[in-house]
């Protein structure tokens, strides 16, 4: 068990590094590309990616999540694992061909899309790369070190290409291609190395039908998720201008970067949680669940509050004053950090391993319906601000449904969280940093000073209050530092 826990810690560390790289890449690229492409160019790329996401959704059929769970359960049997991978890959390939046929027909007959067909075709390469990448297998096998190194290399190549090739506003197509390379090119490495983990020769005895029920549920879940995470961007694109899409996408970009950090632990725990449930280790399953929920509250709460307080400085630094209209949507949408963090834990880490995917589906359908209604009512009058409100309410609805279904199983975990300590720590961080906004200095300096004061005082108070998870992380870091010094 100790070996497994060490592996889990390593997985979390590597996924944290991967998440931090997702911070660094946007921090370097956003200030450069947003000032060149301006809201209109950024909006075109954002709309294309959101539109293609619907065809990618059909192609993937819920496989990214289903594949992790089903492969994690048979990972100790190479033949059974290989047979499962063959079946899922074939199913994914067939659905992708159908998705591409639908995409090309849509581009041919919709004038709004035909004019930018080159951009859409380039962005659609992500569908092909996702199929051959089989990322779900690598996550099921918990190959997070490989995933991290591979992704960072591709991001670095994309970063160089961005500065070399994007120089004027008409280069938005090139920018779209580079963003797809950054996120999808690493899947080519997956395809090359797949023979290390599965047998490539035909094994026979295939039964693709056995996956259809499970895939169908995850597909429905993915449909609902994609609808309320991308519908707002698509609706703005059809109901407003490319510039309005750019304003909203700016707020969403920052949210996604922060969400990836908040949900990093849950991503690592999914295969482990599925393994614990399969092997009947329910005590271990409950322990990692409690730790994941505590982690979400401790990380999401300060990130959410800090970037609400300093939204203006963050927008101006990363994108420039031309994106001032993104400030209010960003402030409205940031509470979803906590909501998404909690639903990611309740849904993906608890309900899915327990085989209760239908609850997740119901919650996401409810969220999608609410989002559609609010978007239809508010986007025509409030544009990106209306879309932000719709997203916030939708995420809250998802949380309410999932919590209601798990109130008996997770009630103790929520009661163990020290809410008062977190609230006091947030108040101290706010008082310690808010005055920095009044200083007549540049936005970068304001963010650096305020972040040090806010997060520093927040962490110090939680250490002083002996918050268990914060103390545990602190002791592990200090222990490793002193261990290194002793060895030297």
């Amino acid at each position: 068990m100790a070996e497994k826990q060490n592996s889990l810690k390593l997985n979390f560390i590597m996924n944290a590094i991967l998440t931090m790289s997702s911070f660094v890449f946007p921090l370097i690229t956003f200030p450069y590309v947003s000032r060149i492409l301006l809201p209109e160019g950024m909006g075109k790329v954002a709309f294309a990616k959101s539109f293609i996401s619907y065809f990618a959704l059909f192609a993937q059929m819920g496989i990214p999540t289903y594949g992790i769970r089903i492969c994690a359960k048979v990972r100790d049997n190479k033949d059974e694992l290989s047979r499962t991978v063959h079946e899922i890959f074939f199913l994914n390939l067939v659905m992708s061909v159908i998705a591409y046929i639908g995409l090309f027909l849509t581009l041919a007959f919709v004038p709004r899309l035909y004019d930018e067909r080159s951009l859409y075709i380039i962005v659609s390469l992500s569908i092909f790369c996702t199929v051959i990448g089989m990322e779900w297998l690598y996550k099921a096998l918990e190959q997070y070190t490989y995933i991290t190194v591979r992704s960072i290399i591709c991001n670095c190549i994309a970063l160089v290409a961005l500065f070399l090739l994007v120089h004027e506003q008409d280069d938005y197509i090139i920018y779209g291609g580079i963003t797809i390379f950054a996120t999808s090119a690493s899947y080519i490495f997956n395809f090359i190395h797949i023979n290390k983990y599965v047998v490539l020769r035909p094994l026979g005895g295939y039964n693709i039908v056995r996956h259809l029920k499970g895939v169908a549920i995850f597909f429905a879940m993915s449909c609902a998720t994609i609808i309320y995470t991308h519908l707002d961007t698509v609706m703005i694109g059809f109901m407003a201008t490319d510039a309005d899409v750019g304003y909203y996408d700016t707020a969403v970009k920052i949210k996604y970067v922060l969400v990836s950090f908040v949900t990093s632990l849950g991503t690592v725990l999914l295969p482990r949680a599925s393994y614990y449930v399969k092997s009947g280790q329910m005590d271990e399953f409950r322990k990692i669940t409690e730790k994941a929920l505590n982690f979400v509250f401790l990380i999401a709460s300060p990130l959410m509050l800090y970037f609400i307080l300093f939204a203006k400085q963050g927008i101006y630094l990363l994108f420039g004053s031309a994106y001032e209209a993104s400030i209010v949507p960003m402030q409205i949408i940031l509470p979803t950090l906590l909501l998404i963090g909690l639903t990611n834990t309740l849904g993906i880490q608890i309900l899915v391993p327990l085989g209760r995917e239908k609850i997740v589906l119901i919650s996401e359908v409810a969220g999608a319906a609410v989002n559609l209604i609010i978007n239809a009512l508010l986007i025509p009058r409030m544009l990106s601000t209306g879309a932000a409100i719709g997203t916030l309410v939708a995420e809250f609805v998802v949380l309410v449904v999932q919590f209601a279904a798990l109130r008996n199983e997770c009630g103790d975990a929520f009661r163990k969280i020290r809410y008062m300590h977190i609230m006091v720590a947030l108040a101290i961080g706010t008082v310690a940093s808010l005055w920095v906004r009044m200083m007549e200095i540049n936005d970068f300096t304001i963010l650096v000073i305020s972040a040090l004061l806010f997060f520093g005082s927040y962490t110090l108070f939680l250490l002083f209050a002996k918050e268990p998870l914060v103390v545990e992380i602190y002791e592990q870091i200090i222990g490793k530092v002193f261990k290194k010094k002793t060895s030297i």
Side-chain angles (χ1 to χ4, degrees):
M1 182 60 64
E3 182 179 351
K4 289 184 178 179
Q5 292 301 325
N6 289 333
S7 176
L8 188 59
K9 291 177 183 177
L10 175 62
N11 290 341
F12 175 68
I13 291 172
M14 296 311 298
N15 200 55
I17 293 173
L18 179 61
T19 302
M20 291 305 296
S21 71
S22 71
F23 272 95
V24 175
F25 185 70
L27 285 175
I28 296 174
T29 59
F30 285 174
Y32 174 77
V33 74
S34 62
R35 287 166 173 80
I36 292 176
L37 300 184
L38 299 178
E40 183 178 359
M42 297 289 284
K44 288 181 179 180
V45 176
F47 179 80
K49 292 171 70 175
S50 293
F51 181 76
I52 293 299
S53 69
Y54 288 99
F55 294 91
L57 165 68
F58 182 81
Q60 293 168 18
M61 285 286 291
I63 287 173
T65 304
Y66 173 80
I68 295 175
R69 192 184 73 166
I70 195 68
C71 290
K73 290 181 178 180
V74 297
R75 64 185 184 182
D76 295 331
N77 185 329
K78 188 171 183 178
D79 284 343
E80 185 60 29
L81 175 64
S82 300
R83 184 174 288 104
T84 300
V85 170
H86 293 178
E87 292 169 348
I88 296 176
F89 175 77
F90 180 76
L91 179 61
N92 200 178
L93 183 63
V94 171
M95 298 310 298
S96 297
V97 171
I98 298 174
Y100 269 115
I101 293 173
L103 173 62
F104 292 143
L105 289 174
T106 304
L107 293 180
F109 292 105
V110 180
R112 167 75 168 82
L113 305 175
Y114 183 80
D115 294 339
E116 296 287 353
R117 59 189 180 281
S118 297
L119 175 61
Y120 293 103
I121 292 173
I122 290 174
V123 173
S124 73
L125 290 175
S126 61
I127 299 176
F128 170 75
C129 292
T130 300
V131 174
I132 67 171
M134 293 173 277
E135 187 83 342
W136 36 270
L137 170 64
Y138 289 85
K139 289 182 177 179
L141 298 178
E142 302 186 51
Q143 297 295 316
Y144 288 99
T145 300
Y146 163 75
I147 292 173
T148 299
V149 173
R150 173 213 66 188
S151 299
I152 290 176
I153 291 174
C154 290
N155 277 335
C156 289
I157 295 173
L159 181 63
V160 174
L162 181 70
F163 288 117
L164 290 177
L165 301 176
V166 178
H167 300 293
E168 54 188 42
Q169 190 173 3
D170 290 338
D171 291 336
Y172 63 90
I173 296 179
I174 298 176
Y175 171 65
I178 292 174
T179 60
I180 296 305
F181 177 89
T183 57
S184 303
S186 57
Y187 295 153
I188 298 175
F189 290 99
N190 287 5
F191 187 73
I192 295 174
H193 292 94
I194 196 70
N195 63 321
K196 291 185 177 181
Y197 307 104
V198 300
V199 177
L200 296 182
R201 59 179 173 79
L203 296 173
Y206 294 124
N207 182 14
I208 297 178
V209 176
R210 69 188 177 108
H211 300 292
L212 295 181
K213 182 179 179 181
V215 167
I217 295 176
F218 283 106
F219 173 61
M221 289 165 50
S222 299
C223 284
T225 302
I226 290 293
I227 287 174
Y228 76 78
T229 55
H230 290 275
L231 181 64
D232 38 19
T233 302
V234 173
M235 289 181 71
I236 294 174
F238 279 109
M239 300 170 72
T241 66
D242 288 329
D244 291 312
V245 176
Y247 296 137
Y248 182 71
D249 183 62
T250 298
V252 172
K253 270 188 170 69
I254 295 176
K255 183 200 80 169
Y256 278 146
V257 171
L258 298 176
V259 163
S260 65
F261 186 75
V262 173
T263 59
S264 59
L265 182 62
T267 301
V268 171
L269 292 180
L270 173 58
R272 185 59 54 89
S274 297
Y275 182 81
Y276 283 151
V277 172
K278 177 70 174 179
S279 58
Q281 301 180 53
M282 297 309 295
D283 287 339
E284 295 297 328
F285 176 74
R286 280 188 286 270
K287 286 179 182 178
I288 63 173
T289 295
E290 291 176 1
K291 184 168 291 188
L293 287 171
N294 197 21
F295 175 85
V296 168
F297 273 99
L298 290 170
I299 297 298
S301 300
L303 286 174
M304 172 185 71
L305 181 58
Y306 175 80
F307 283 98
I308 288 176
L309 296 174
F310 293 90
K312 178 181 178 181
Q313 289 75 20
I315 292 290
Y316 277 25
L317 175 66
L318 292 177
F319 300 94
S321 59
Y323 293 81
E324 184 176 4
S326 301
I327 296 174
V328 173
M330 174 181 166
Q331 292 173 320
I332 293 173
I333 210 172
L334 276 173
T336 60
L337 290 182
L338 179 59
L339 301 177
I340 294 174
L342 293 174
T343 55
N344 181 267
T345 302
L346 296 177
I348 302 302
Q349 187 195 321
I350 301 178
L351 289 170
V352 169
L354 290 175
R356 300 174 64 184
E357 298 90 353
K358 291 183 180 179
I359 301 297
V360 182
L361 173 59
I362 292 171
S363 69
E364 293 179 343
V365 169
V370 169
N371 194 34
L372 176 62
I373 294 171
I374 295 179
N375 282 346
L377 293 174
L378 298 185
I379 287 178
R381 291 180 291 173
M382 303 176 68
L383 301 176
S384 57
T385 299
I389 294 174
T391 298
L392 177 60
V393 177
E395 295 292 357
F396 179 74
V397 169
V398 174
L399 175 61
V400 169
V401 174
Q402 292 185 6
F403 179 77
L406 288 171
R407 60 185 180 278
N408 294 328
E409 292 87 342
C410 297
D412 289 339
F414 276 95
R415 281 188 287 270
K416 290 180 180 179
I417 296 171
R418 302 186 176 186
Y419 300 104
M420 187 56 66
H421 287 171
I422 295 175
M423 292 176 64
V424 172
L426 291 174
I428 292 174
T430 300
V431 172
S433 62
L434 197 57
W435 61 272
V436 181
R437 294 196 308 185
M438 297 181 291
M439 298 177 65
E440 296 183 0
I441 53 179
N442 61 67
D443 295 323
F444 176 78
T445 306
I446 289 177
L447 289 173
V448 170
I449 296 175
S450 61
L452 289 173
L453 293 172
F454 183 93
F455 293 103
S457 58
Y458 173 82
T459 304
L460 287 174
F461 175 80
L462 291 177
L463 281 172
F464 176 78
K466 299 187 183 304
E467 184 355 91
L469 184 56
V470 176
V471 172
E472 178 184 342
I473 295 173
Y474 173 77
E475 289 178 347
Q476 288 183 0
I477 294 174
I478 294 299
K480 289 183 179 180
V481 170
F482 277 104
K483 184 178 180 180
K484 287 183 179 180
K485 288 185 177 180
T486 303
S487 63
I488 291 176

